[in-house]
Amino acid sequence: METTLKFIEENKERFLEELKDYLRIPSISAKEENKKDMLKCAQFVVSKLKDAGIKKTKIYKTKLHPIVYGEWLGAKGAPTVLIYGHYDVQPPEPLGLWKTPPFEPDIRDGKIYARGANDNKGQNFVHIKSIESQMKTLGKLPVNVKFIIEGEEEVGSESLTEFIKEHKAMLKCDAVLISDTSLYAEGVPTINYGLRGLTYMEVEVQGPNRDLHSGSFGGAIANPINELAKMIAKLHDKNGKVTIPNFYKDVVKISKKEKENIKALKFSDKKFAKEYGVRELQGEKGYSTLERLWVRPTLDCNGIYGGYTGEGAKTVLPAKATAKISMRLVPNQDPQKIAKEFTKYVKAIAPKSVKVNVKQMHGGHPIAFSLDDKAIQAGANAVGKAFDKKTVFTREGGSIPIVVDFKNVLKAPVVLMGLGLDTDDIHSPNEHFNVDSFFKGIYSSVYFMTEFAKAK
Ligand code: BES
Ligand code: MN
């Protein structure tokens, strides 16, 4: 162990330089024009796995983006850890708001800035460097290790969903280890034990058969933007509850113990509001902010468009308006059932003067884990050691849909060892990752393997 820790200490600069190389590849899964970069990035990951001593690697071609697999199974009788991450990133737009270009990593104030710095290249590279540090100092690992680094997380993980079912035997493991979530606060070791699910819908409202003059027709023919806005307003009541029938029907009430755990985190509403530049918070009546974010389902408009949005003014009564609406789900809500209820309700509240078309986009199931699992306990001990503080347990408002497949198909516990911060601006301009968290993550990963080897 000592030699491994010393190796990490001595190689910090090089690890950071290599992370920069990873971040320079514009692996944007949503864009056709970056298809070649996706393969290049998968090859980069393979080369780093090989450098780390993972001799057996393979790039699996899929319908969309390649999946990287790697394994080292030299720890006879020891448990097997499957490490999951994603090498794809979100589109970087709007480009004008980046202080330095998204694919030219820059270190300022102890943070590394680039698209993917946190989500998820910085966080998955931690585990590759942990393996390298152990292999180069000890020639072996305390556990068997398998790697799955995919390229479609940001677009729904469709290929990996199939892949897990098809390669169930190859992926067999005793625990899945994922760093793709957040620390509770800077420097606070955290294990996440829940993720919200997602149902994402598109609502298209069609008015007249063509754009019309808003003077000659306004007041007589329904305006699809007006009608869509009214419909969206009807999706919440005055207490912040979602009005869709049966929306809360399957929601599991949290236990007293969990309520107390959340309360003990002493979340500051004031600090939170200030950080994001709002005067006041809002949400479902009767719940605290963390409860609203972690254990209650929500509905949000993610985008709305229609009519004239260009420069100056144009008087027009548009033919069409569209909204993209997401619902974050909690156990035991079912994304398909919620999509059906949403569609039925939106159609029911639509006036006869417009036609409404509702489409379902990608989604995912919510999940929550028991804290009693040995793997989760080993994770908590490991981060506690690396950050030298008491570990806290949190849930996440965000989603990683593939986690449910790991749990259901592989029947393995999942350790969410989040290392990012909610203030890291993921999916937004100037995404960044604390350099210190990157290194503490490497130590956490090393400690986890030692702890988990003892746990079996
Ligand atoms: N790393 C995030 C999940 C996440 C978000 C963790 C916020 C912690 C805080 C992941 O890459 C992500 O963005 N997931 C998407 C899933 C969607 C594309 C199906 C999400 O939550 O919107
Ligand atoms: Mn993401």
Side-chain angles (χ1 to χ4, degrees):
M1 179 67 84
E2 281 313 310
T3 56
T4 306
L5 302 182
K6 194 163 157 246
F7 182 90
I8 298 170
E9 203 51 52
E10 286 168 357
N11 285 275
K12 280 181 166 174
E13 279 307 309
R14 174 172 64 83
F15 289 173
L16 262 186
E17 285 308 312
E18 290 179 25
L19 173 59
K20 282 189 191 166
D21 292 337
Y22 194 7
L23 292 168
R24 282 191 190 100
I25 308 169
S27 47
I28 308 164
S29 49
K31 292 190 182 180
E32 186 62 38
E33 67 189 74
N34 294 99
K35 205 154 169 72
K36 277 206 187 109
D37 297 310
M38 294 303 290
L39 180 60
K40 197 173 142 197
C41 200
Q43 285 162 342
F44 178 90
V45 174
V46 162
S47 76
K48 292 299 159 188
L49 287 176
K50 283 201 186 299
D51 286 351
I54 308 269
K55 283 203 195 88
K56 193 173 164 191
T57 59
K58 189 168 170 178
I59 292 182
Y60 287 87
K61 294 265 157 69
T62 72
K63 268 188 226 148
L64 193 56
H65 300 305
I67 293 170
V68 175
Y69 178 74
E71 65 175 38
W72 183 89
L73 304 179
K76 290 252 146 39
T80 301
V81 178
L82 174 71
I83 297 168
Y84 163 81
H86 61 95
Y87 67 82
D88 67 320
V89 300
Q90 287 274 335
E93 286 80 10
L95 292 174
L97 296 182
W98 284 81
K99 286 207 183 86
T100 49
F103 298 106
E104 292 173 29
D106 187 41
I107 297 178
R108 306 190 287 274
D109 300 332
K111 300 175 184 89
I112 182 158
Y113 286 81
R115 172 55 87 233
N118 161 325
D119 185 11
N120 172 253
K121 289 173 176 172
Q123 293 205 61
N124 66 53
F125 204 53
V126 154
H127 300 291
I128 301 181
K129 293 298 111 181
S130 141
I131 302 288
E132 179 193 319
S133 304
Q134 295 175 80
M135 288 296 277
K136 288 199 175 149
T137 51
L138 310 169
K140 61 180 185 182
L141 304 171
V143 290
N144 299 296
V145 168
K146 297 176 178 177
F147 268 96
I148 283 284
I149 312 286
E150 70 153 319
E152 294 178 22
E153 197 273 346
E154 301 291 3
V155 291
S157 299
E158 216 173 284
S159 300
L160 188 58
T161 307
E162 282 308 303
F163 188 89
I164 292 175
K165 281 189 222 139
E166 274 167 30
H167 296 85
K168 207 170 132 178
M170 179 176 92
L171 300 178
K172 190 174 182 303
C173 60
D174 299 288
V176 180
L177 176 62
I178 305 175
S179 292
D180 193 22
T181 48
S182 304
L183 297 171
Y184 178 62
E186 196 173 336
V188 179
T190 307
I191 292 292
N192 317 107
Y193 64 95
L195 292 160
R196 286 202 288 191
L198 182 69
T199 293
Y200 200 111
M201 310 294 292
E202 191 181 85
V203 179
E204 206 183 84
V205 177
Q206 175 77 47
N209 57 10
R210 55 187 180 274
D211 280 7
L212 299 171
H213 189 287
S214 65
S216 314
F217 298 91
I221 287 189
N223 180 325
I225 302 180
N226 294 5
E227 297 313 320
L228 178 57
K230 280 190 234 166
M231 286 160 64
I232 291 170
K234 278 190 190 142
L235 296 176
H236 288 98
D237 69 11
K238 65 174 193 315
N239 292 324
K241 287 220 185 284
V242 175
T243 50
I244 300 168
N246 300 318
F247 186 75
Y248 296 98
K249 195 172 141 211
D250 298 326
V251 171
V252 175
K253 253 187 114 178
I254 58 163
S255 64
K256 230 176 128 185
K257 198 173 146 204
E258 185 165 6
K259 224 177 157 67
E260 273 158 22
N261 170 48
I262 291 178
K263 218 169 154 189
L265 291 171
K266 295 197 172 33
F267 184 84
S268 162
D269 280 4
K270 221 170 132 187
K271 238 174 93 187
F272 189 65
K274 193 168 170 223
E275 167 71 34
Y276 299 102
V278 294
R279 269 198 302 258
E280 185 175 270
L281 301 181
Q282 62 92 54
E284 190 182 358
K285 210 173 154 184
Y287 295 92
S288 69
T289 300
L290 288 184
E291 287 169 348
R292 288 169 178 168
L293 292 171
W294 294 348
V295 300
R296 296 298 295 170
T298 50
L299 181 148
D300 275 289
C301 214
N302 293 247
I304 180 162
Y305 50 98
Y308 186 67
T309 54
E311 200 183 334
K314 172 189 171 185
T315 51
V316 61
L317 193 163
K320 218 167 87 176
T322 308
K324 309 230 183 229
I325 298 173
S326 71
M327 286 158 280
R328 295 283 170 173
L329 313 179
V330 300
N332 289 324
Q333 285 177 299
D334 176 71
Q336 294 305 331
K337 256 168 108 178
I338 293 294
K340 270 201 195 122
E341 295 288 357
F342 176 91
T343 307
K344 216 162 89 185
Y345 184 60
V346 164
K347 291 207 159 162
I349 60 173
K352 237 186 161 159
S353 53
V354 294
K355 270 192 234 123
V356 174
N357 195 5
V358 183
K359 232 175 37 195
Q360 186 182 358
M361 323 283 276
H362 56 44
H365 284 86
I367 196 162
F369 305 109
S370 150
L371 293 180
D372 301 332
D373 199 277
K374 276 185 200 156
I376 293 188
Q377 283 307 325
N381 292 343
V383 288
K385 236 183 193 167
F387 285 77
D388 198 20
K389 266 199 191 128
K390 193 163 178 268
T391 302
V392 301
F393 295 91
T394 66
R395 279 164 74 155
E396 278 290 350
S399 314
I400 311 175
I402 202 69
V403 169
V404 176
D405 298 79
F406 282 131
K407 189 179 172 224
N408 293 348
V409 181
L410 302 181
K411 311 260 183 269
V414 180
V415 182
L416 295 173
M417 189 184 275
L419 299 166
L421 286 172
D422 284 341
T423 47
D424 282 351
D425 294 320
I426 65 172
H427 295 206
S428 178
N430 305 306
E431 175 178 351
H432 55 276
F433 188 37
N434 256 349
V435 171
D436 190 51
S437 300
F438 173 65
F439 294 127
K440 289 218 167 81
I442 301 175
Y443 291 111
S444 301
S445 174
V446 170
Y447 288 136
F448 175 76
M449 289 177 202
T450 310
E451 290 278 330
F452 192 52
K454 283 190 294 193
K456 206 189 179 184

